[in-house]
Amino acid sequence: MITFRLFRAALSTRRVLSTNNVSRCFHKSITTLIDTSVTIGDVTVSNPPMGTNPNLIPTLPSRLEHFHTLPSTLPPCHISHLRWMLQKDFVLHQDFLLLGTPRLASERRHLLLLYAALLHREVEYVALSRDTSEADLKQRKEVSNGGSTVYVHQAPVRAAIHGRLLILDGLEKAERNVLPTLSNLLENRELPLDDGTMLVSPDVYDRHKMGIAVHPDFRVAAIGSLSEGESASLDPPLRSRFQARLVSSVDEGDVLVAASAGSQGILDMSTLKEMVKSTGDIGGVSIQSIQNAIRYIEMFQPSISPPAALNAHGMGINGGMITPQDVKSPLKLDGLNDTTTNPNFVATNTTNTVRDLIIAGFRSGNRAVACVGPKGSYKSAIASETAKAMGLKMELFSLHPDMTARDLLMVRGTDKESGDTSWRETPLTRAARRGTLVVLDGIDKIRTDTLTSLALVLEQGWVILPDGTRFYTHDDFRCIAIAHPPEKRSWITPEVRSIFHWIQVDPLPREELRDILMKLYPSLDEIILDKLLNLQKELDRVSVDSAAEKEALQLTMRKLKHICRRVERSPNELGRIIHNTLLTSFLPEWDQGIIAKCLSKCGIDVPDEGNDEISFDYGMVNELVKSCKRAASNPLLVPNPRFEENPGQARSELDILEAHRVGEKALLITGYQGVGKNKIVDHLLFKLNCEREYIQLHRDSTIQSLMMTPSVENGRIVYHDSPLVRAAKYGRILVLDEADKAPVEVVALLKGLIEDGQLSLPDGRVLCHDHSSDPDIISIHPDFRIWTLTNPAGFPFHGNDLAREMADVFSCHQVPPMDMESHRRVLKSYGPKVEVHLIEKIVETWEELRNAHKKGIISYPFSLREAVAVVKHLNAFPNDGIKEAVENVVSFDRLDTSLAKRLDTIFSSHGIRLLDSNTIERRPGRDHGTLSTPKTRASDPKHGKVDPDNTPHVGGNTWAGGTGGSDTAGLGGRGGPYRLDAGHPVHQISDEMKAQVSKEAQERARKMAQDALQKKLDDLKMGKLDWSRYTNLREQVDEQISQLKSYLRDLQKRSEERVWLKNHTSGEIDENKIVDLLSGEKDVFKRRGMPSDANNDSLQTQPIVIRLVVDISASMYRFNGYDQRLERLLEATLMMMETLKDDKRFQLYIIGHNGSSAKIPLVNPTTNMDENTQLQVLECMVANTQYTYAGDNTIDAISLVVDEAATGDLVIIISDANLKRYEITVNDLSPLQSQKVHARVVVPLIDTLALFLYRLDLIFIGSLGDEASELAKKIPNERAQVCFHSADLPLIIKQIVTNAYRLVLRDIVTRSPGNPLIKEHHRPPPPRIHNQSPSVDRPRVFGLWWNDCGGTN
């Protein structure tokens, strides 16, 4: 049967299309008269132009090719839109714009192309994006004929000259001030061109016979998207030149009519109605999408349910995707090749189901299928197996953030012979032309405006290339897109959702995972494998603060394979290999505790991380070297470093060699600076006789520079192989040094090369394992390996978190700081003239420095490199002395007074004095007293006499400051009005004796305490402050304040780090546009600057609210003499106030609680945090502890602060509650012990959102017995620990704040009510705490506890 388009071509003078009165809805539908006119509704156009180039005319969709079905297939509103476009195009001769929601962008695109197909209109198409430039809209320069510049018309100019319909798709996506380039063309049909010519209107051309005439039939049809509640934000001069029409969603009734028309009659009407009705809650759907979903169900009933089909086509109510669990029975797919040649792939029920879902998506009419899932969920392997099952060749196209819309289709280059500029196809374009399968790996990494530029290719099958070529895709062309689920801003926008068929790929079930690992590693002990899978399960249960932290603790499929590959040969090393794989040494302390607890629970021995000086068998290293040794063809590439054999670095060498022996293709070697990573690698390569290729990465390293080095020679672009290409070609080991300093996406591009064995190069060649005679194929040598060296992420290192992105791709190895024996050996080799006792002094000092860094006392990790520098100085200039030699490595910290004092304390303990004066030491705890029996009855509370000699008084009722007595202010006694610490050992009376005090005496004592507290507070308001106390406290935490400020400054710098801004007319040459530069283009430069949309992971949009709840109860004062807990609390509070004052990123609340009240406001964000105010707050805390009556309100304080806190707040609760005395049990904290306590709310996968609830950290200090330890064990996720030294309190607070801010910068959430990602009705109800309202979202909560050890008076 002849289609409408071909019918018109055959009968150009006579076109007939009748309505047949299909229903009353269509009595004014589409009609054509007996002559050559066209009528749509009541608009008739005589003799509309008819195109002659079939490559420029869109084809009718398959469901509309039989033109007599048009009235029954199209809803009335679509016919109305077609009528309007005909009216604007050929009656009013106006440029027009179709507007609507992003979800219906494909509907508008379909309507416009349908209009062009029905009218036989030739079309020029421009997919607008942020990268669209003036050259894309006017003329692009090319070099031709041996160096001459040629100007090539672009789509708008071609459309204007030949009278075509110019489609501008995505008007809102272009950067501002780009589209005004076309303003004069829209208004007056005039446009000056870069080659000196000018487009002029037909009237001007007829009058002057000059310029290039714009064809009268030239028209501009634009497509734009508007979000609900928004108006168009177009530049007014541009907006005024268009006539706009809103294309709203089709009514449910009309959708149902169109759906039934496209159905094969397999589904009953009730099912169709239910499907259509369910799509009404998502803001409308396109007719094409609903018909695709119906076709999908009809082909695969009863395996696929209607809701699952809607999810697969991006129309689910909750925005979900189809999953393997949605398949009720195996899909019936014929003609598949079920044999696999990949020895590293084991098929399971789940992988087969995902593969079948992909093929089913293709067979139901979709060209593109998106597989979305976390790392290690087998997506890449399944995509490869799908291609084999379909009998298609697979091309891998690894995407990265710097890609433009043009880069997805073609790249520019020059002809090797003539030097003329040319265009090269990308893997996507090659696959579309040849009919193969392309895998787009990482669609979540590119901008959404770049991704949606592929809509025409993937939806319509029409390819329009940057060089002007256009063709329809091969019938066998298919695309599989691979991505990770959204974390912050969802990359799956409504427009993106309409382009793909969506499949959610989850990690494999345990049994299937076990089966895979047993088949891949048949020699692996099954008991060890079960332990490993149990560990994976335990770590998956862990609830953490962010997706980033969760990833660090997960054992993905890739990580499990790395572990099993090693453990198969070294079963006794399971614990050590797990620690290396998870990079445990560089995780926060609480994460290390989680891993240790999970290992212990699974029966896996925890390796000793200490640097014990143990013997080492060097024979194991030599044996492995012998088995892996190579024959170097180029000895100049084999490094030969100076190296002193030592057991510490030999253990690291053995670890690397074991991984190398079992065939690991890529290693990630991580360690602090100066621990010898480069020395170890070079020494190993020397012993192995391996040729090395070396790349030093840095901030300005690019993907281009990693793969090729372009240069201009005799007017031609010549690409030189990079060390990466040479290493792959000749089987060398590529060493990537300082990989964490490069942008993460640069190194991440290697994932395709490491895992899939493919990498497309800028010059059109492909690195792969195929041994082909094709000159564009570079075969990867089987001996090719990549060894990557990095520093750990986080302060004080400035690098990026490479491990977060790539740790599962690499086999991970940690190079620890040297043990003392290894340190000693290396230093002796560098200082043969240095006296042994000096070397020993340096070794011991550096060991203490290492421990201080591990505890967080100092931030800089002093390493072997600094110690070697000291020894070298002493060896050459022994008379300078050790102090001067050490000065060379500590002068960096000289101007930081508190840090200099801290370092002086460490060095002085080993006889190396840095400062002239002693540092201030902390006041030691006093001796404990004994049980006391009062000498008098308690009846008359009073302050007591003041002893001028401060003689200890025990058991009496006369002197103030006594202990174990009656009536007077003191400690450990009974009946006194308040506490008074004179600095003596405390003698405590029994609780039975305390109970003998009469109620009348208790009331008088309470009244005296209240009066004394009020007087103290009045004195504070009058400025009667103890500045000596403030000075002492400040000196104790100066270093912590300095470190915390430095850390927060470093994180802020990361969030403000500049990026490369491209497409500029000045700056540095963009090496990706060197061909454009050669051809004379202008916007070929880049420069550093802040991104215009601040679209980076570290963006902080709102202040972080910190609520510090401090215990100012009586016991804090009473037991300060034992462990100085009150002093430590004051120091921690002072540290928070001083660090966060004037920092707009934080809002600090400090609230006290004691026996009298659960809420005592001390500080709020409006409080002036000068030193005077800080001291007033501290004195107020001391006064409350001294004069308040005994009691505890810890649980009520928790309830109150959590009720007031908002989502994302950080709550730190400090208490020394006596658990037994105040009958606080684990059950009282039961709401805080579930896995939901600090969790992520995960709304459906398409709109995943990382949302902090709250987290609880209980830290017990000063515990007597096992009470605190027992409670700590019952708090999940290592959020409880016992701290036996109160001096660590400021360190703990610092760690909590810095980690919380780091996670906020990683997983920032915009908490605006209009954020479409936040779906309140999908949040599970939060856990309750006492009288908390169930509607309150959860903050992050940390509790710091002491276990009380006695009475209060």
Side-chain angles (χ1 to χ4, degrees):
M1 184 169 291
I2 302 175
T3 65
F4 180 69
R5 179 174 63 82
L6 294 179
F7 182 75
R8 290 193 60 193
L11 302 173
S12 59
T13 60
R14 185 169 179 168
R15 289 164 287 179
V16 179
L17 177 64
S18 64
T19 64
N20 294 324
N21 294 320
V22 176
S23 71
R24 62 179 181 175
C25 297
F26 299 111
H27 71 278
K28 284 188 177 181
S29 56
I30 302 177
T31 359
T32 8
L33 304 179
I34 299 299
D35 57 15
T36 57
S37 61
V38 172
T39 299
I40 302 180
D42 59 353
V43 178
T44 300
V45 175
S46 300
N47 301 316
M50 185 173 62
T52 58
N53 188 341
N55 285 331
L56 299 177
I57 301 172
T59 58
L60 282 168
S62 58
R63 73 180 194 280
L64 300 178
E65 286 185 347
H66 303 292
F67 58 84
H68 66 275
T69 65
L70 277 172
S72 62
T73 305
L74 294 176
C77 62
H78 281 193
I79 297 175
S80 176
H81 297 321
L82 293 172
R83 170 196 173 276
W84 181 82
M85 285 188 276
L86 179 64
Q87 182 187 63
K88 296 298 176 185
D89 190 4
F90 289 116
V91 178
L92 299 175
H93 306 293
Q94 294 174 327
D95 300 322
F96 54 93
L97 167 63
L98 296 181
L99 289 169
T101 61
R103 182 178 292 277
L104 295 176
S106 62
E107 187 91 316
R108 296 191 295 279
R109 193 178 301 113
H110 162 73
L111 273 173
L112 197 47
L113 294 174
L114 175 61
Y115 169 79
L118 290 172
L119 271 293
H120 220 220
R121 202 81 156 87
E122 292 184 358
V123 164
E124 295 283 356
Y125 179 87
V126 179
L128 298 173
S129 70
R130 287 171 49 189
D131 299 306
T132 302
S133 64
E134 180 187 18
D136 299 310
L137 301 177
K138 293 171 66 176
Q139 291 180 320
R140 179 172 285 116
K141 296 178 182 179
E142 302 286 358
V143 176
S144 183
N145 301 324
S148 301
T149 299
V150 178
Y151 291 87
V152 178
H153 297 326
Q154 297 305 294
V157 177
R158 293 195 300 265
I161 294 174
H162 300 291
R164 297 167 184 162
L165 182 67
L166 172 64
I167 298 178
L168 300 178
D169 193 353
L171 212 60
E172 76 286 351
K173 298 171 188 173
E175 288 195 339
R176 60 192 185 96
N177 300 330
V178 172
L179 290 179
T181 301
L182 301 178
S183 292
N184 206 29
L185 182 62
L186 292 168
E187 179 70 17
N188 301 314
R189 293 305 191 248
E190 293 181 354
L191 183 67
L193 301 178
D194 294 339
D195 63 357
T197 60
M198 183 172 183
L199 296 181
V200 297
S201 66
D203 294 339
V204 172
Y205 182 80
D206 291 341
R207 201 161 47 240
H208 300 289
K209 302 300 181 184
M210 297 179 65
I212 303 174
V214 173
H215 198 285
D217 295 330
F218 166 63
R219 214 76 64 226
V220 179
I223 300 172
S225 294
L226 295 172
S227 298
E228 291 289 345
E230 291 183 356
S231 61
S233 57
L234 298 176
D235 190 30
L238 181 67
R239 167 177 166 165
S240 63
R241 290 178 168 94
F242 282 105
Q243 297 295 296
R245 184 175 180 86
L246 183 64
V247 179
S248 303
S249 58
V250 182
D251 293 334
E252 286 187 14
D254 293 333
V255 173
L256 181 59
V257 172
S260 60
S263 172
Q264 300 297 318
I266 299 176
L267 298 179
D268 57 65
M269 186 56 67
S270 62
T271 302
L272 290 176
K273 285 182 178 179
E274 187 62 30
M275 290 181 64
V276 171
K277 183 178 180 181
S278 64
T279 61
D281 296 331
I282 63 173
V285 296
S286 70
I287 298 297
Q288 181 70 52
S289 297
I290 195 69
Q291 290 180 335
N292 288 345
I294 291 171
R295 186 186 308 114
Y296 184 60
I297 297 174
E298 291 180 336
M299 290 182 67
F300 300 106
Q301 270 196 327
S303 300
I304 303 296
S305 66
L310 293 176
N311 285 340
H313 289 81
M315 296 183 291
I317 297 176
N318 295 330
M321 308 176 189
I322 193 169
T323 69
Q325 292 74 30
D326 292 328
V327 180
K328 300 177 181 178
S329 59
L331 299 175
K332 296 179 180 180
L333 299 169
D334 299 327
L336 299 183
N337 179 12
D338 289 329
T339 59
T340 179
T341 59
N342 184 359
N344 296 319
F345 180 83
V346 177
T348 68
N349 289 334
T350 300
T351 62
N352 287 337
T353 302
V354 174
R355 181 203 63 187
D356 291 348
L357 283 173
I358 295 173
I359 297 173
F362 289 146
R363 291 191 176 179
S364 61
N366 300 283
R367 291 183 184 85
V369 172
C371 295
V372 180
K375 293 179 181 178
S377 52
Y378 243 26
K379 299 184 297 296
S380 300
I382 293 173
S384 177
E385 293 304 308
T386 301
K388 294 174 184 176
M390 296 176 66
L392 296 175
K393 179 182 177 181
M394 188 194 83
E395 293 216 44
L396 178 67
F397 196 5
S398 299
L399 308 182
H400 55 83
D402 285 341
M403 276 190 160
T404 65
R406 191 180 79 179
D407 296 333
L408 294 176
L409 298 174
M410 300 194 90
V411 293
R412 296 185 85 179
T414 59
D415 185 85
K416 295 180 180 179
E417 302 300 329
S418 64
D420 295 347
T421 53
S422 61
W423 291 88
R424 299 190 181 96
E425 294 179 340
T426 63
L428 172 62
T429 306
R430 281 197 302 269
R433 181 170 53 82
R434 298 175 181 176
T436 59
L437 186 146
V438 65
V439 175
L440 300 181
D441 191 354
I443 60 172
D444 55 311
K445 297 177 182 177
I446 61 176
R447 298 193 314 266
T448 54
D449 63 297
T450 302
L451 182 57
T452 53
S453 68
L454 297 178
L456 195 68
V457 180
L458 302 180
E459 289 178 357
Q460 308 294 329
W462 198 17
V463 184
I464 299 179
L465 301 178
D467 67 348
T469 305
R470 61 199 68 201
F471 61 88
Y472 284 96
T473 59
H474 193 285
D475 291 341
D476 293 334
F477 165 65
R478 296 294 182 266
C479 170
I480 298 178
I482 294 176
H484 295 150
E487 291 182 6
K488 299 173 285 295
R489 302 182 180 96
S490 179
W491 57 268
I492 309 178
T493 63
E495 186 173 356
V496 170
R497 200 172 299 167
S498 65
I499 296 175
F500 295 95
H501 181 94
W502 297 94
I503 300 175
Q504 179 175 322
V505 184
D506 295 321
L508 296 178
R510 175 191 173 104
E511 290 306 316
E512 293 188 5
L513 196 57
R514 190 179 192 280
D515 183 55
I516 289 174
L517 295 175
M518 282 305 302
K519 290 180 178 178
L520 290 177
Y521 311 102
S523 302
L524 183 64
D525 190 321
E526 292 190 32
I527 296 176
I528 290 180
L529 179 57
D530 287 334
K531 288 182 178 181
L532 193 56
L533 294 177
N534 289 338
L535 176 63
Q536 183 198 40
K537 183 178 180 180
E538 290 296 325
L539 291 174
D540 283 342
R541 288 177 176 175
V542 171
S543 179
V544 291
D545 285 339
S546 71
E549 196 174 0
K550 185 69 174 177
E551 280 186 12
L553 297 178
Q554 283 182 322
L555 286 176
T556 64
M557 165 68 85
R558 291 194 188 99
K559 289 181 180 179
L560 288 172
K561 290 169 74 174
H562 289 308
I563 294 171
C564 292
R565 194 175 289 126
R566 298 274 307 279
V567 173
E568 190 179 26
R569 295 200 180 194
S570 306
N572 295 329
E573 297 293 325
L574 177 61
R576 181 176 60 83
I577 294 172
I578 289 172
H579 271 270
N580 273 340
T581 302
L582 295 175
L583 295 174
T584 308
S585 298
F586 308 116
L587 293 176
E589 187 175 349
W590 41 80
D591 288 347
Q592 294 184 32
I594 291 173
I595 294 173
K597 182 178 286 187
C598 291
L599 285 170
S600 176
K601 190 172 183 179
C602 297
I604 300 173
D605 293 334
V606 180
D608 184 7
E609 295 185 3
N611 288 319
D612 296 335
E613 299 170 17
I614 59 176
S615 60
F616 181 78
D617 183 5
Y618 290 93
M620 294 186 294
V621 174
N622 296 330
E623 184 179 332
L624 283 175
V625 167
K626 185 177 180 180
S627 65
C628 300
K629 198 158 188 175
R630 298 181 182 179
S633 59
N634 187 348
L636 290 177
L637 296 178
V638 179
N640 185 12
R642 171 179 177 174
F643 190 84
E644 176 67 23
E645 294 281 1
N646 62 87
Q649 291 181 329
R651 281 190 286 269
S652 297
E653 288 184 336
L654 178 63
D655 187 54
I656 294 171
L657 279 171
E658 287 175 344
H660 182 67
R661 178 187 62 176
V662 299
E664 288 288 2
K665 299 176 183 177
L667 309 183
L668 183 68
I669 303 169
T670 305
Y672 293 130
Q673 91 295 340
V675 295
K677 298 186 296 295
N678 293 79
K679 289 278 189 182
I680 290 171
V681 166
D682 287 349
H683 184 240
L684 273 180
L685 295 178
F686 170 73
K687 296 176 76 171
L688 292 171
N689 200 32
C690 287
E691 299 172 43
R692 180 195 69 178
E693 293 284 355
Y694 180 87
I695 300 179
Q696 171 77 53
L697 297 178
H698 48 82
R699 181 200 71 172
D700 293 337
S701 296
T702 63
I703 291 169
Q704 178 97 3
S705 65
L706 188 63
M707 296 188 292
M708 306 291 294
T709 304
S711 63
V712 180
E713 299 178 7
N714 298 323
R716 292 173 296 169
I717 303 295
V718 178
Y719 289 96
H720 302 280
D721 289 345
S722 69
L724 166 64
V725 177
R726 293 196 300 268
K729 186 187 298 184
Y730 300 115
R732 297 166 182 161
I733 291 183
L734 173 69
V735 176
L736 294 177
D737 198 7
E738 303 281 8
D740 55 306
K741 303 301 186 291
V744 173
E745 62 268 14
V746 173
V747 185
L749 189 72
L750 296 177
K751 181 258 179 186
L753 181 62
I754 297 169
E755 286 288 312
D756 307 309
Q758 279 195 36
L759 183 64
S760 296
L761 303 178
D763 63 352
R765 294 180 298 166
V766 178
L767 277 172
C768 64
H769 288 292
D770 292 346
H771 296 283
S772 170
S773 58
D774 188 337
D776 289 335
I777 298 296
I778 303 176
S779 296
I780 299 175
H781 196 285
D783 290 337
F784 169 58
R785 298 292 185 270
I786 298 176
W787 291 4
T788 304
L789 310 182
T790 71
N791 296 125
F795 186 77
F797 297 96
H798 293 179
N800 299 307
D801 194 352
L802 179 64
R804 179 190 177 192
E805 184 74 22
M806 295 284 288
D808 63 336
V809 175
F810 292 96
S811 172
C812 296
H813 304 266
Q814 302 172 110
V815 179
M818 277 194 173
D819 61 89
M820 294 180 69
E821 174 57 30
S822 301
H823 205 162
R824 194 176 291 114
R825 288 194 189 184
V826 174
L827 294 186
K828 286 180 179 179
S829 71
Y830 281 97
K833 300 178 183 178
V834 180
E835 296 179 13
V836 174
H837 78 278
L838 290 179
I839 288 182
E840 192 64 29
K841 186 177 292 188
I842 295 171
V843 170
E844 293 174 355
T845 303
W846 254 249
E847 180 69 10
E848 186 171 346
L849 289 170
R850 184 184 69 81
N851 290 327
H853 171 262
K854 186 176 180 179
K855 294 177 180 178
I857 297 173
I858 60 176
S859 59
Y860 182 78
F862 285 87
S863 67
L864 174 66
R865 183 177 294 155
E866 289 88 356
V868 168
V870 172
V871 169
K872 282 183 176 180
H873 186 103
L874 289 173
N875 193 64
F877 301 97
N879 294 330
D880 285 355
I882 191 170
K883 178 180 179 181
E884 184 169 339
V886 167
E887 275 292 337
N888 297 325
V889 297
V890 299
S891 292
F892 299 96
D893 308 309
R894 271 301 201 171
L895 296 183
D896 187 334
T897 306
S898 58
L899 177 56
K901 288 181 179 179
R902 192 66 56 96
L903 291 176
D904 179 66
T905 301
I906 295 173
F907 278 91
S908 296
S909 65
H910 299 281
I912 307 172
R913 177 62 59 81
L914 299 181
L915 301 178
D916 294 333
S917 58
N918 292 327
T919 57
I920 299 176
E921 299 292 338
R922 292 188 183 274
R923 178 165 57 95
R926 74 194 71 176
D927 295 333
H928 288 235
T930 60
L931 190 65
S932 172
T933 301
K935 301 172 184 177
T936 60
R937 295 180 59 187
S939 59
D940 184 19
K942 55 184 179 292
H943 180 79
K945 296 180 180 179
V946 177
D947 186 343
D949 299 326
N950 195 23
T951 302
H953 299 278
V954 181
N957 68 342
T958 303
W959 301 99
T963 66
S966 303
D967 295 341
T968 59
L971 294 176
R974 63 181 180 180
Y978 39 79
R979 283 148 298 285
L980 181 61
D981 188 355
H984 305 302
V986 179
H987 298 265
Q988 180 72 47
I989 69 170
S990 66
D991 289 341
E992 290 78 6
M993 290 184 177
K994 285 186 179 183
Q996 295 173 4
V997 181
S998 66
K999 292 185 178 179
E1000 293 78 7
Q1002 291 180 21
E1003 287 300 322
R1004 289 197 299 273
R1006 190 189 303 270
K1007 181 64 169 60
M1008 289 182 64
Q1010 291 173 349
D1011 292 343
L1013 175 60
Q1014 187 59 49
K1015 183 178 184 302
K1016 181 66 175 179
L1017 296 178
D1018 291 341
D1019 289 344
L1020 292 178
K1021 292 179 182 178
M1022 297 173 62
K1024 298 179 179 179
L1025 306 173
D1026 184 358
W1027 283 101
S1028 61
R1029 177 190 287 273
Y1030 180 87
T1031 302
N1032 291 337
L1033 291 172
R1034 177 62 187 266
E1035 287 180 350
Q1036 298 298 343
V1037 289
D1038 261 346
E1039 175 58 21
Q1040 303 304 327
I1041 292 172
S1042 176
Q1043 285 187 28
L1044 186 52
K1045 284 185 175 181
S1046 297
Y1047 189 95
L1048 297 178
R1049 277 197 304 269
D1050 178 72
L1051 290 175
Q1052 183 66 16
K1053 287 179 181 178
R1054 291 172 185 263
S1055 68
E1056 296 174 349
E1057 190 167 283
R1058 298 184 303 163
V1059 298
W1060 282 116
L1061 304 178
K1062 301 189 176 184
N1063 299 329
H1064 282 271
T1065 56
S1066 62
E1068 298 183 36
I1069 296 175
D1070 186 350
E1071 60 185 3
N1072 291 319
K1073 290 197 168 188
I1074 195 167
V1075 179
D1076 303 76
L1077 173 67
L1078 186 65
S1079 61
E1081 298 290 356
K1082 294 180 294 185
D1083 53 348
V1084 296
F1085 297 93
K1086 61 181 181 179
R1087 56 182 174 83
R1088 304 291 294 188
M1090 295 299 295
S1092 58
D1093 62 346
N1095 186 20
N1096 55 45
D1097 290 348
S1098 304
L1099 175 65
Q1100 181 185 351
T1101 57
Q1102 293 187 3
I1104 300 171
V1105 176
I1106 299 179
R1107 300 176 187 271
L1108 177 63
V1109 184
V1110 295
D1111 189 332
I1112 48 177
S1113 62
S1115 55
M1116 292 294 292
Y1117 189 96
R1118 164 64 179 82
F1119 295 104
N1120 186 55
Y1122 284 95
D1123 54 23
Q1124 296 180 296
R1125 61 182 64 179
L1126 179 57
E1127 296 296 311
R1128 301 295 87 78
L1129 176 62
L1130 296 176
E1131 291 169 3
T1133 306
L1134 174 58
M1135 178 188 71
M1136 292 289 285
M1137 290 190 293
E1138 177 62 24
T1139 301
L1140 302 183
K1141 73 175 183 180
D1142 303 325
D1143 194 329
K1144 303 301 181 184
R1145 296 170 292 170
F1146 299 92
Q1147 290 184 350
L1148 177 63
Y1149 293 84
I1150 301 180
I1151 307 101
H1153 67 92
N1154 57 26
S1156 301
S1157 174
K1159 181 180 179 181
I1160 304 171
L1162 298 171
V1163 170
N1164 62 60
T1166 63
T1167 304
N1168 179 17
M1169 283 295 182
D1170 57 19
E1171 291 182 343
N1172 187 69
T1173 304
Q1174 292 177 19
L1175 181 52
Q1176 286 187 11
V1177 171
L1178 299 177
E1179 293 278 22
C1180 181
M1181 292 170 61
V1182 174
N1184 271 276
T1185 62
Q1186 183 175 5
Y1187 299 113
T1188 188
Y1189 209 69
D1192 183 81
N1193 276 303
T1194 299
I1195 300 300
D1196 290 336
I1198 293 176
S1199 298
L1200 288 173
V1201 72
V1202 172
D1203 282 345
E1204 294 178 356
T1207 303
D1209 287 3
L1210 172 62
V1211 179
I1212 305 173
I1213 300 174
I1214 302 176
S1215 177
D1216 74 339
N1218 184 335
L1219 304 179
K1220 288 183 178 178
R1221 177 172 183 175
Y1222 298 110
E1223 298 180 349
I1224 297 175
T1225 67
V1226 174
N1227 293 331
D1228 291 311
L1229 299 173
S1230 59
L1232 310 181
Q1233 297 171 40
S1234 71
Q1235 293 296 323
K1236 297 179 181 179
V1237 162
H1238 91 63
R1240 296 177 63 235
V1241 172
V1242 180
V1243 297
L1245 192 53
I1246 283 184
D1247 288 326
T1248 304
L1249 176 64
L1251 186 64
F1252 289 110
L1253 297 186
Y1254 72 97
R1255 87 188 244 173
L1256 175 67
D1257 276 63
L1258 305 180
I1259 301 175
F1260 298 89
I1261 300 179
S1263 172
L1264 294 181
D1266 297 329
E1267 183 180 358
S1269 299
E1270 290 302 317
L1271 181 58
K1273 292 178 182 178
K1274 297 178 182 180
I1275 304 298
N1277 301 336
E1278 205 65 18
R1279 295 307 182 191
Q1281 56 182 304
V1282 180
C1283 179
F1284 294 101
H1285 303 286
S1286 64
D1288 291 338
L1289 177 60
L1291 291 174
I1292 294 169
I1293 297 291
K1294 184 195 75 172
Q1295 292 171 353
I1296 290 174
V1297 174
T1298 54
N1299 190 58
Y1301 186 57
R1302 174 179 60 87
L1303 295 176
V1304 167
L1305 289 184
R1306 277 184 172 180
D1307 295 278
I1308 191 71
V1309 176
T1310 303
R1311 288 176 258 171
S1312 62
N1315 189 339
L1317 302 184
I1318 298 179
K1319 298 195 174 184
E1320 298 289 342
H1321 56 282
H1322 293 313
R1323 294 179 183 169
R1328 298 286 303 278
I1329 299 181
H1330 294 275
N1331 62 343
Q1332 180 191 350
S1333 169
S1335 64
V1336 176
D1337 289 326
R1338 310 299 298 175
R1340 288 158 291 161
V1341 179
F1342 298 77
L1344 276 67
W1345 295 61
W1346 284 284
N1347 187 30
D1348 202 352
C1349 52
T1352 60
N1353 204 16

